[in-house]
């Protein structure tokens, strides 16, 4: 549905994205994931036609819509947009807000009745038909978000762009709304690009992830591949809190407070960074030897965070965090043993 070919962009003299290549097919949801300022929103704006590339080409449904010399206007691209602030017209009813999207050139061939039927169908898909005559201020944040989705769906676009659509919702409402939205998007089968900085949201929604850093795509693939096989410390860190241990490779292993840890394809003498996700530290009551001392336990309902201090002769005391499922409690000063879940441990050469 859309393809970026060697696309670069700059704001004035400042580069924003560099040499971006990807495509999104029908029925596919691709999530652009990365910290603020990494370029993901610029890619969305380029796809929408709100920005023009400095180099490269953008193709939409088999036709070129932008290059360094020309760009098809946003209203002529037939793309659905859902913004994080909803952007609803406060003086219009919910139905009229959705009908407004059908006034564009691409929908001029439709009769008034056909436009009305499409708007009603979009509201029904978004579970808002009973609110068709309400005003935006009469709806909750989650309902307003669904109106924004219905408005994007009404013209039957080949591509929908979602710009951090759940950022204004509380956590419980966010989970329900994004689940509802995912079901609707799967039902209609359109292509979708989602911009988010929330790794859990990206994992939940996307068929493919593109992790961005400083204007470039540093890794892309299925969520399970990117999560389980990160190609850099940056990507490994982006999926939750981690512990870092710096060491050097010696005889095919890096030295850690828990003993030698084998590594592959990293030469002896190389300085490394070991990334241990908080879930990768497995804490048990003291065995034959005590690896760490509990500093504090924080219960957060679905899981508990255990703060640990490890005395390592290489660096002195290390402060580590372990995340344990369920309600766990260790008194301050408790001596514990630690094991590593190797599926949550990654070693990378340090970048000088």
């Amino acid at each position: 549905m859309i393809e970026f070919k060697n696309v670069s962009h700059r704001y004035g003299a400042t580069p924003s994205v560099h040499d971006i290549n990807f495509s999104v097919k029908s029925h596919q949801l691709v999530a652009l994931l990365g910290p603020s300022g990494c370029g993901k929103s610029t890619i969305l704006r380029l796809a929408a036609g709100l920005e023009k590339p400095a180099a490269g080409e953008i193709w939409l449904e088999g036709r070129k819509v932008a290059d360094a010399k020309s760009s098809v206007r946003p209203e002529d691209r037939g793309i659905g947009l859902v913004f994080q602030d909803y952007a609803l017209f406060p003086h219009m009813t919910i139905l009229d807000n959705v009908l407004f999207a059908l006034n564009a050139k691409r929908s001029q061939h439709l009769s008034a009745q056909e436009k009305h039927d499409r708007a009603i169908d979009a509201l029904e898909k978004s579970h808002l038909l009973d609110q068709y005559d309400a005003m935006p201020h009469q709806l909750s944040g989650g309902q307003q978000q669904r109106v924004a989705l219905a408005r994007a769906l009404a013209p039957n676009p080949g591509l929908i762009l979602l710009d951090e659509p759940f950022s204004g919702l509380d956590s419980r409402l966010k989970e329900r709304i994004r689940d509802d939205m995912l079901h609707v998007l799967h039902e209609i089968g359109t292509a979708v690009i989602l911009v988010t900085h929330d790794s859990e949201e990206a994992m939940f929604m996307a068929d493919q992830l593109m992790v961005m850093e400083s204007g470039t795509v540093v890794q892309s693939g299925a969520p399970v591949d990117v999560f389980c096989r990160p190609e850099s410390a940056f990507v490994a860190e982006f999926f939750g809190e981690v512990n870092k241990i710096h060491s050097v490779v010696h005889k095919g292993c890096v030295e850690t407070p828990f003993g030698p840890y084998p590594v592959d394809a990293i030469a002896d003498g190389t300085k490394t960074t070991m990334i241990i996700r908080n879930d990768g530290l497995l804490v048990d009551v003291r065995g034959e030897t005590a690896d760490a001392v509990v500093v504090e336990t924080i219960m957060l309902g679905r899981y508990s965070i255990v703060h640990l201090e490890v005395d390592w002769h290489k660096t002195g005391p290390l402060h580590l965090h372990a995340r344990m499922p369920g309600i766990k409690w260790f008194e301050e000063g408790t001596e514990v043993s630690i094991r590593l879940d190797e599926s949550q441990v990654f070693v990378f050469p340090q970048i000088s």
Side-chain angles (χ1 to χ4, degrees), residues 21-45:
N21 289 276
F22 74 95
S23 62
V24 186
K25 300 176 182 179
S26 181
H27 290 79
Q28 185 180 35
L29 193 155
V30 173
L32 304 179
L33 178 65
S36 298
C38 71
K40 56 188 186 297
S41 290
T42 298
I43 290 179
L44 210 68
R45 292 176 63 83

mmCIF file with all atom_site columns, all heavy atoms in Angstrom, residues 21-45:
data_model
loop_
_atom_site.group_PDB
_atom_site.id
_atom_site.type_symbol
_atom_site.label_atom_id
_atom_site.label_alt_id
_atom_site.label_comp_id
_atom_site.label_asym_id
_atom_site.label_entity_id
_atom_site.label_seq_id
_atom_site.pdbx_PDB_ins_code
_atom_site.Cartn_x
_atom_site.Cartn_y
_atom_site.Cartn_z
_atom_site.occupancy
_atom_site.B_iso_or_equiv
_atom_site.pdbx_formal_charge
_atom_site.auth_seq_id
_atom_site.auth_comp_id
_atom_site.auth_asym_id
_atom_site.auth_atom_id
_atom_site.pdbx_PDB_model_num
ATOM 1   N N   . ASN A 1 21 ? 13.916 2.966  4.244  1.00 0.00 ? 21 ASN A N   1
ATOM 2   C CA  . ASN A 1 21 ? 13.353 2.012  3.290  1.00 0.00 ? 21 ASN A CA  1
ATOM 3   C C   . ASN A 1 21 ? 12.410 1.057  4.030  1.00 0.00 ? 21 ASN A C   1
ATOM 4   O O   . ASN A 1 21 ? 12.839 0.364  4.948  1.00 0.00 ? 21 ASN A O   1
ATOM 5   C CB  . ASN A 1 21 ? 14.460 1.187  2.623  1.00 0.00 ? 21 ASN A CB  1
ATOM 6   C CG  . ASN A 1 21 ? 15.294 1.995  1.658  1.00 0.00 ? 21 ASN A CG  1
ATOM 7   O OD1 . ASN A 1 21 ? 14.929 2.174  0.506  1.00 0.00 ? 21 ASN A OD1 1
ATOM 8   N ND2 . ASN A 1 21 ? 16.431 2.502  2.136  1.00 0.00 ? 21 ASN A ND2 1
ATOM 9   N N   . PHE A 1 22 ? 11.154 1.041  3.643  1.00 0.00 ? 22 PHE A N   1
ATOM 10  C CA  . PHE A 1 22 ? 10.224 0.045  4.181  1.00 0.00 ? 22 PHE A CA  1
ATOM 11  C C   . PHE A 1 22 ? 8.950  0.078  3.347  1.00 0.00 ? 22 PHE A C   1
ATOM 12  O O   . PHE A 1 22 ? 8.710  1.018  2.581  1.00 0.00 ? 22 PHE A O   1
ATOM 13  C CB  . PHE A 1 22 ? 9.906  0.291  5.662  1.00 0.00 ? 22 PHE A CB  1
ATOM 14  C CG  . PHE A 1 22 ? 8.991  1.462  5.928  1.00 0.00 ? 22 PHE A CG  1
ATOM 15  C CD1 . PHE A 1 22 ? 7.618  1.278  6.084  1.00 0.00 ? 22 PHE A CD1 1
ATOM 16  C CD2 . PHE A 1 22 ? 9.506  2.746  6.052  1.00 0.00 ? 22 PHE A CD2 1
ATOM 17  C CE1 . PHE A 1 22 ? 6.774  2.347  6.334  1.00 0.00 ? 22 PHE A CE1 1
ATOM 18  C CE2 . PHE A 1 22 ? 8.667  3.820  6.305  1.00 0.00 ? 22 PHE A CE2 1
ATOM 19  C CZ  . PHE A 1 22 ? 7.304  3.626  6.452  1.00 0.00 ? 22 PHE A CZ  1
ATOM 20  N N   . SER A 1 23 ? 8.144  -0.947 3.499  1.00 0.00 ? 23 SER A N   1
ATOM 21  C CA  . SER A 1 23 ? 6.846  -0.986 2.837  1.00 0.00 ? 23 SER A CA  1
ATOM 22  C C   . SER A 1 23 ? 5.821  -1.572 3.794  1.00 0.00 ? 23 SER A C   1
ATOM 23  O O   . SER A 1 23 ? 6.160  -2.322 4.709  1.00 0.00 ? 23 SER A O   1
ATOM 24  C CB  . SER A 1 23 ? 6.900  -1.820 1.548  1.00 0.00 ? 23 SER A CB  1
ATOM 25  O OG  . SER A 1 23 ? 7.242  -3.160 1.848  1.00 0.00 ? 23 SER A OG  1
ATOM 26  N N   . VAL A 1 24 ? 4.565  -1.204 3.583  1.00 0.00 ? 24 VAL A N   1
ATOM 27  C CA  . VAL A 1 24 ? 3.450  -1.715 4.385  1.00 0.00 ? 24 VAL A CA  1
ATOM 28  C C   . VAL A 1 24 ? 2.418  -2.281 3.421  1.00 0.00 ? 24 VAL A C   1
ATOM 29  O O   . VAL A 1 24 ? 1.977  -1.597 2.497  1.00 0.00 ? 24 VAL A O   1
ATOM 30  C CB  . VAL A 1 24 ? 2.815  -0.620 5.254  1.00 0.00 ? 24 VAL A CB  1
ATOM 31  C CG1 . VAL A 1 24 ? 1.760  -1.235 6.177  1.00 0.00 ? 24 VAL A CG1 1
ATOM 32  C CG2 . VAL A 1 24 ? 3.857  0.125  6.063  1.00 0.00 ? 24 VAL A CG2 1
ATOM 33  N N   . LYS A 1 25 ? 2.033  -3.530 3.659  1.00 0.00 ? 25 LYS A N   1
ATOM 34  C CA  . LYS A 1 25 ? 1.070  -4.196 2.788  1.00 0.00 ? 25 LYS A CA  1
ATOM 35  C C   . LYS A 1 25 ? -0.338 -4.080 3.362  1.00 0.00 ? 25 LYS A C   1
ATOM 36  O O   . LYS A 1 25 ? -0.525 -3.743 4.533  1.00 0.00 ? 25 LYS A O   1
ATOM 37  C CB  . LYS A 1 25 ? 1.442  -5.675 2.638  1.00 0.00 ? 25 LYS A CB  1
ATOM 38  C CG  . LYS A 1 25 ? 2.825  -5.906 2.034  1.00 0.00 ? 25 LYS A CG  1
ATOM 39  C CD  . LYS A 1 25 ? 3.158  -7.384 2.010  1.00 0.00 ? 25 LYS A CD  1
ATOM 40  C CE  . LYS A 1 25 ? 4.561  -7.621 1.454  1.00 0.00 ? 25 LYS A CE  1
ATOM 41  N NZ  . LYS A 1 25 ? 4.916  -9.067 1.450  1.00 0.00 ? 25 LYS A NZ  1
ATOM 42  N N   . SER A 1 26 ? -1.313 -4.389 2.537  1.00 0.00 ? 26 SER A N   1
ATOM 43  C CA  . SER A 1 26 ? -2.692 -4.468 3.007  1.00 0.00 ? 26 SER A CA  1
ATOM 44  C C   . SER A 1 26 ? -2.791 -5.499 4.127  1.00 0.00 ? 26 SER A C   1
ATOM 45  O O   . SER A 1 26 ? -2.090 -6.508 4.123  1.00 0.00 ? 26 SER A O   1
ATOM 46  C CB  . SER A 1 26 ? -3.595 -4.867 1.845  1.00 0.00 ? 26 SER A CB  1
ATOM 47  O OG  . SER A 1 26 ? -4.936 -4.940 2.264  1.00 0.00 ? 26 SER A OG  1
ATOM 48  N N   . HIS A 1 27 ? -3.630 -5.233 5.112  1.00 0.00 ? 27 HIS A N   1
ATOM 49  C CA  . HIS A 1 27 ? -3.851 -6.088 6.275  1.00 0.00 ? 27 HIS A CA  1
ATOM 50  C C   . HIS A 1 27 ? -2.635 -6.105 7.221  1.00 0.00 ? 27 HIS A C   1
ATOM 51  O O   . HIS A 1 27 ? -2.582 -6.941 8.118  1.00 0.00 ? 27 HIS A O   1
ATOM 52  C CB  . HIS A 1 27 ? -4.175 -7.534 5.880  1.00 0.00 ? 27 HIS A CB  1
ATOM 53  C CG  . HIS A 1 27 ? -5.518 -7.700 5.257  1.00 0.00 ? 27 HIS A CG  1
ATOM 54  N ND1 . HIS A 1 27 ? -5.769 -7.394 3.934  1.00 0.00 ? 27 HIS A ND1 1
ATOM 55  C CD2 . HIS A 1 27 ? -6.693 -8.145 5.769  1.00 0.00 ? 27 HIS A CD2 1
ATOM 56  C CE1 . HIS A 1 27 ? -7.039 -7.631 3.650  1.00 0.00 ? 27 HIS A CE1 1
ATOM 57  N NE2 . HIS A 1 27 ? -7.620 -8.081 4.752  1.00 0.00 ? 27 HIS A NE2 1
ATOM 58  N N   . GLN A 1 28 ? -1.674 -5.210 7.035  1.00 0.00 ? 28 GLN A N   1
ATOM 59  C CA  . GLN A 1 28 ? -0.476 -5.217 7.883  1.00 0.00 ? 28 GLN A CA  1
ATOM 60  C C   . GLN A 1 28 ? -0.429 -3.954 8.727  1.00 0.00 ? 28 GLN A C   1
ATOM 61  O O   . GLN A 1 28 ? -0.723 -2.854 8.245  1.00 0.00 ? 28 GLN A O   1
ATOM 62  C CB  . GLN A 1 28 ? 0.787  -5.308 7.020  1.00 0.00 ? 28 GLN A CB  1
ATOM 63  C CG  . GLN A 1 28 ? 2.078  -5.453 7.823  1.00 0.00 ? 28 GLN A CG  1
ATOM 64  C CD  . GLN A 1 28 ? 3.300  -5.550 6.930  1.00 0.00 ? 28 GLN A CD  1
ATOM 65  O OE1 . GLN A 1 28 ? 3.370  -4.917 5.874  1.00 0.00 ? 28 GLN A OE1 1
ATOM 66  N NE2 . GLN A 1 28 ? 4.273  -6.342 7.338  1.00 0.00 ? 28 GLN A NE2 1
ATOM 67  N N   . LEU A 1 29 ? -0.040 -4.107 9.998  1.00 0.00 ? 29 LEU A N   1
ATOM 68  C CA  . LEU A 1 29 ? 0.156  -2.968 10.884 1.00 0.00 ? 29 LEU A CA  1
ATOM 69  C C   . LEU A 1 29 ? 1.637  -2.897 11.261 1.00 0.00 ? 29 LEU A C   1
ATOM 70  O O   . LEU A 1 29 ? 2.172  -3.830 11.852 1.00 0.00 ? 29 LEU A O   1
ATOM 71  C CB  . LEU A 1 29 ? -0.709 -3.083 12.145 1.00 0.00 ? 29 LEU A CB  1
ATOM 72  C CG  . LEU A 1 29 ? -0.831 -1.809 12.992 1.00 0.00 ? 29 LEU A CG  1
ATOM 73  C CD1 . LEU A 1 29 ? -2.138 -1.829 13.804 1.00 0.00 ? 29 LEU A CD1 1
ATOM 74  C CD2 . LEU A 1 29 ? 0.333  -1.591 13.940 1.00 0.00 ? 29 LEU A CD2 1
ATOM 75  N N   . VAL A 1 30 ? 2.271  -1.810 10.879 1.00 0.00 ? 30 VAL A N   1
ATOM 76  C CA  . VAL A 1 30 ? 3.687  -1.579 11.177 1.00 0.00 ? 30 VAL A CA  1
ATOM 77  C C   . VAL A 1 30 ? 3.791  -0.482 12.227 1.00 0.00 ? 30 VAL A C   1
ATOM 78  O O   . VAL A 1 30 ? 3.186  0.587  12.073 1.00 0.00 ? 30 VAL A O   1
ATOM 79  C CB  . VAL A 1 30 ? 4.464  -1.183 9.908  1.00 0.00 ? 30 VAL A CB  1
ATOM 80  C CG1 . VAL A 1 30 ? 5.896  -0.776 10.250 1.00 0.00 ? 30 VAL A CG1 1
ATOM 81  C CG2 . VAL A 1 30 ? 4.471  -2.333 8.916  1.00 0.00 ? 30 VAL A CG2 1
ATOM 82  N N   . ALA A 1 31 ? 4.538  -0.742 13.291 1.00 0.00 ? 31 ALA A N   1
ATOM 83  C CA  . ALA A 1 31 ? 4.722  0.230  14.358 1.00 0.00 ? 31 ALA A CA  1
ATOM 84  C C   . ALA A 1 31 ? 6.113  0.835  14.270 1.00 0.00 ? 31 ALA A C   1
ATOM 85  O O   . ALA A 1 31 ? 7.110  0.113  14.207 1.00 0.00 ? 31 ALA A O   1
ATOM 86  C CB  . ALA A 1 31 ? 4.520  -0.416 15.728 1.00 0.00 ? 31 ALA A CB  1
ATOM 87  N N   . LEU A 1 32 ? 6.174  2.166  14.257 1.00 0.00 ? 32 LEU A N   1
ATOM 88  C CA  . LEU A 1 32 ? 7.430  2.894  14.367 1.00 0.00 ? 32 LEU A CA  1
ATOM 89  C C   . LEU A 1 32 ? 7.657  3.178  15.837 1.00 0.00 ? 32 LEU A C   1
ATOM 90  O O   . LEU A 1 32 ? 6.873  3.885  16.476 1.00 0.00 ? 32 LEU A O   1
ATOM 91  C CB  . LEU A 1 32 ? 7.366  4.202  13.573 1.00 0.00 ? 32 LEU A CB  1
ATOM 92  C CG  . LEU A 1 32 ? 7.011  4.091  12.090 1.00 0.00 ? 32 LEU A CG  1
ATOM 93  C CD1 . LEU A 1 32 ? 6.970  5.474  11.455 1.00 0.00 ? 32 LEU A CD1 1
ATOM 94  C CD2 . LEU A 1 32 ? 7.996  3.207  11.367 1.00 0.00 ? 32 LEU A CD2 1
ATOM 95  N N   . LEU A 1 33 ? 8.734  2.619  16.370 1.00 0.00 ? 33 LEU A N   1
ATOM 96  C CA  . LEU A 1 33 ? 8.974  2.665  17.807 1.00 0.00 ? 33 LEU A CA  1
ATOM 97  C C   . LEU A 1 33 ? 10.301 3.357  18.074 1.00 0.00 ? 33 LEU A C   1
ATOM 98  O O   . LEU A 1 33 ? 11.305 3.063  17.417 1.00 0.00 ? 33 LEU A O   1
ATOM 99  C CB  . LEU A 1 33 ? 9.018  1.231  18.363 1.00 0.00 ? 33 LEU A CB  1
ATOM 100 C CG  . LEU A 1 33 ? 9.306  1.015  19.836 1.00 0.00 ? 33 LEU A CG  1
ATOM 101 C CD1 . LEU A 1 33 ? 8.189  1.599  20.689 1.00 0.00 ? 33 LEU A CD1 1
ATOM 102 C CD2 . LEU A 1 33 ? 9.466  -0.476 20.131 1.00 0.00 ? 33 LEU A CD2 1
ATOM 103 N N   . GLY A 1 34 ? 10.300 4.274  19.031 1.00 0.00 ? 34 GLY A N   1
ATOM 104 C CA  . GLY A 1 34 ? 11.554 4.941  19.364 1.00 0.00 ? 34 GLY A CA  1
ATOM 105 C C   . GLY A 1 34 ? 11.314 6.108  20.297 1.00 0.00 ? 34 GLY A C   1
ATOM 106 O O   . GLY A 1 34 ? 10.170 6.513  20.532 1.00 0.00 ? 34 GLY A O   1
ATOM 107 N N   . PRO A 1 35 ? 12.387 6.684  20.843 1.00 0.00 ? 35 PRO A N   1
ATOM 108 C CA  . PRO A 1 35 ? 12.246 7.806  21.777 1.00 0.00 ? 35 PRO A CA  1
ATOM 109 C C   . PRO A 1 35 ? 11.835 9.080  21.060 1.00 0.00 ? 35 PRO A C   1
ATOM 110 O O   . PRO A 1 35 ? 11.870 9.160  19.820 1.00 0.00 ? 35 PRO A O   1
ATOM 111 C CB  . PRO A 1 35 ? 13.660 7.941  22.361 1.00 0.00 ? 35 PRO A CB  1
ATOM 112 C CG  . PRO A 1 35 ? 14.555 7.431  21.270 1.00 0.00 ? 35 PRO A CG  1
ATOM 113 C CD  . PRO A 1 35 ? 13.793 6.319  20.613 1.00 0.00 ? 35 PRO A CD  1
ATOM 114 N N   . SER A 1 36 ? 11.448 10.077 21.822 1.00 0.00 ? 36 SER A N   1
ATOM 115 C CA  . SER A 1 36 ? 11.088 11.372 21.236 1.00 0.00 ? 36 SER A CA  1
ATOM 116 C C   . SER A 1 36 ? 12.269 11.929 20.443 1.00 0.00 ? 36 SER A C   1
ATOM 117 O O   . SER A 1 36 ? 13.415 11.852 20.873 1.00 0.00 ? 36 SER A O   1
ATOM 118 C CB  . SER A 1 36 ? 10.709 12.357 22.348 1.00 0.00 ? 36 SER A CB  1
ATOM 119 O OG  . SER A 1 36 ? 9.575  11.892 23.057 1.00 0.00 ? 36 SER A OG  1
ATOM 120 N N   . GLY A 1 37 ? 11.958 12.471 19.272 1.00 0.00 ? 37 GLY A N   1
ATOM 121 C CA  . GLY A 1 37 ? 12.989 13.085 18.452 1.00 0.00 ? 37 GLY A CA  1
ATOM 122 C C   . GLY A 1 37 ? 13.746 12.135 17.550 1.00 0.00 ? 37 GLY A C   1
ATOM 123 O O   . GLY A 1 37 ? 14.693 12.550 16.874 1.00 0.00 ? 37 GLY A O   1
ATOM 124 N N   . CYS A 1 38 ? 13.319 10.867 17.472 1.00 0.00 ? 38 CYS A N   1
ATOM 125 C CA  . CYS A 1 38 ? 14.063 9.894  16.651 1.00 0.00 ? 38 CYS A CA  1
ATOM 126 C C   . CYS A 1 38 ? 13.652 9.928  15.182 1.00 0.00 ? 38 CYS A C   1
ATOM 127 O O   . CYS A 1 38 ? 14.309 9.306  14.351 1.00 0.00 ? 38 CYS A O   1
ATOM 128 C CB  . CYS A 1 38 ? 13.891 8.488  17.203 1.00 0.00 ? 38 CYS A CB  1
ATOM 129 S SG  . CYS A 1 38 ? 12.232 7.803  16.964 1.00 0.00 ? 38 CYS A SG  1
ATOM 130 N N   . GLY A 1 39 ? 12.561 10.628 14.844 1.00 0.00 ? 39 GLY A N   1
ATOM 131 C CA  . GLY A 1 39 ? 12.144 10.755 13.458 1.00 0.00 ? 39 GLY A CA  1
ATOM 132 C C   . GLY A 1 39 ? 10.879 10.014 13.092 1.00 0.00 ? 39 GLY A C   1
ATOM 133 O O   . GLY A 1 39 ? 10.414 10.094 11.950 1.00 0.00 ? 39 GLY A O   1
ATOM 134 N N   . LYS A 1 40 ? 10.273 9.317  14.038 1.00 0.00 ? 40 LYS A N   1
ATOM 135 C CA  . LYS A 1 40 ? 9.107  8.494  13.685 1.00 0.00 ? 40 LYS A CA  1
ATOM 136 C C   . LYS A 1 40 ? 7.908  9.349  13.267 1.00 0.00 ? 40 LYS A C   1
ATOM 137 O O   . LYS A 1 40 ? 7.198  8.994  12.316 1.00 0.00 ? 40 LYS A O   1
ATOM 138 C CB  . LYS A 1 40 ? 8.735  7.552  14.837 1.00 0.00 ? 40 LYS A CB  1
ATOM 139 C CG  . LYS A 1 40 ? 8.461  8.190  16.177 1.00 0.00 ? 40 LYS A CG  1
ATOM 140 C CD  . LYS A 1 40 ? 8.311  7.141  17.261 1.00 0.00 ? 40 LYS A CD  1
ATOM 141 C CE  . LYS A 1 40 ? 7.885  7.772  18.586 1.00 0.00 ? 40 LYS A CE  1
ATOM 142 N NZ  . LYS A 1 40 ? 8.900  8.709  19.124 1.00 0.00 ? 40 LYS A NZ  1
ATOM 143 N N   . SER A 1 41 ? 7.672  10.477 13.934 1.00 0.00 ? 41 SER A N   1
ATOM 144 C CA  . SER A 1 41 ? 6.548  11.334 13.540 1.00 0.00 ? 41 SER A CA  1
ATOM 145 C C   . SER A 1 41 ? 6.808  12.011 12.197 1.00 0.00 ? 41 SER A C   1
ATOM 146 O O   . SER A 1 41 ? 5.870  12.276 11.432 1.00 0.00 ? 41 SER A O   1
ATOM 147 C CB  . SER A 1 41 ? 6.280  12.393 14.613 1.00 0.00 ? 41 SER A CB  1
ATOM 148 O OG  . SER A 1 41 ? 5.746  11.793 15.783 1.00 0.00 ? 41 SER A OG  1
ATOM 149 N N   . THR A 1 42 ? 8.070  12.268 11.893 1.00 0.00 ? 42 THR A N   1
ATOM 150 C CA  . THR A 1 42 ? 8.409  12.833 10.579 1.00 0.00 ? 42 THR A CA  1
ATOM 151 C C   . THR A 1 42 ? 8.044  11.850 9.478  1.00 0.00 ? 42 THR A C   1
ATOM 152 O O   . THR A 1 42 ? 7.521  12.239 8.427  1.00 0.00 ? 42 THR A O   1
ATOM 153 C CB  . THR A 1 42 ? 9.908  13.165 10.515 1.00 0.00 ? 42 THR A CB  1
ATOM 154 O OG1 . THR A 1 42 ? 10.215 14.164 11.499 1.00 0.00 ? 42 THR A OG1 1
ATOM 155 C CG2 . THR A 1 42 ? 10.288 13.690 9.136  1.00 0.00 ? 42 THR A CG2 1
ATOM 156 N N   . ILE A 1 43 ? 8.305  10.563 9.692  1.00 0.00 ? 43 ILE A N   1
ATOM 157 C CA  . ILE A 1 43 ? 7.927  9.550  8.698  1.00 0.00 ? 43 ILE A CA  1
ATOM 158 C C   . ILE A 1 43 ? 6.416  9.555  8.489  1.00 0.00 ? 43 ILE A C   1
ATOM 159 O O   . ILE A 1 43 ? 5.929  9.452  7.360  1.00 0.00 ? 43 ILE A O   1
ATOM 160 C CB  . ILE A 1 43 ? 8.433  8.164  9.133  1.00 0.00 ? 43 ILE A CB  1
ATOM 161 C CG1 . ILE A 1 43 ? 9.956  8.109  9.022  1.00 0.00 ? 43 ILE A CG1 1
ATOM 162 C CG2 . ILE A 1 43 ? 7.792  7.060  8.292  1.00 0.00 ? 43 ILE A CG2 1
ATOM 163 C CD1 . ILE A 1 43 ? 10.563 6.794  9.456  1.00 0.00 ? 43 ILE A CD1 1
ATOM 164 N N   . LEU A 1 44 ? 5.665  9.690  9.577  1.00 0.00 ? 44 LEU A N   1
ATOM 165 C CA  . LEU A 1 44 ? 4.206  9.743  9.453  1.00 0.00 ? 44 LEU A CA  1
ATOM 166 C C   . LEU A 1 44 ? 3.778  10.969 8.653  1.00 0.00 ? 44 LEU A C   1
ATOM 167 O O   . LEU A 1 44 ? 2.895  10.893 7.790  1.00 0.00 ? 44 LEU A O   1
ATOM 168 C CB  . LEU A 1 44 ? 3.576  9.762  10.848 1.00 0.00 ? 44 LEU A CB  1
ATOM 169 C CG  . LEU A 1 44 ? 2.198  9.120  10.982 1.00 0.00 ? 44 LEU A CG  1
ATOM 170 C CD1 . LEU A 1 44 ? 2.306  7.622  10.786 1.00 0.00 ? 44 LEU A CD1 1
ATOM 171 C CD2 . LEU A 1 44 ? 1.599  9.423  12.353 1.00 0.00 ? 44 LEU A CD2 1
ATOM 172 N N   . ARG A 1 45 ? 4.407  12.100 8.906  1.00 0.00 ? 45 ARG A N   1
ATOM 173 C CA  . ARG A 1 45 ? 4.079  13.336 8.190  1.00 0.00 ? 45 ARG A CA  1
ATOM 174 C C   . ARG A 1 45 ? 4.461  13.227 6.709  1.00 0.00 ? 45 ARG A C   1
ATOM 175 O O   . ARG A 1 45 ? 3.758  13.752 5.841  1.00 0.00 ? 45 ARG A O   1
ATOM 176 C CB  . ARG A 1 45 ? 4.782  14.526 8.838  1.00 0.00 ? 45 ARG A CB  1
ATOM 177 C CG  . ARG A 1 45 ? 4.253  14.855 10.239 1.00 0.00 ? 45 ARG A CG  1
ATOM 178 C CD  . ARG A 1 45 ? 5.052  15.985 10.890 1.00 0.00 ? 45 ARG A CD  1
ATOM 179 N NE  . ARG A 1 45 ? 4.939  17.217 10.144 1.00 0.00 ? 45 ARG A NE  1
ATOM 180 C CZ  . ARG A 1 45 ? 3.938  18.093 10.235 1.00 0.00 ? 45 ARG A CZ  1
ATOM 181 N NH1 . ARG A 1 45 ? 2.922  17.841 11.068 1.00 0.00 ? 45 ARG A NH1 1
ATOM 182 N NH2 . ARG A 1 45 ? 3.912  19.190 9.514  1.00 0.00 ? 45 ARG A NH2 1
#
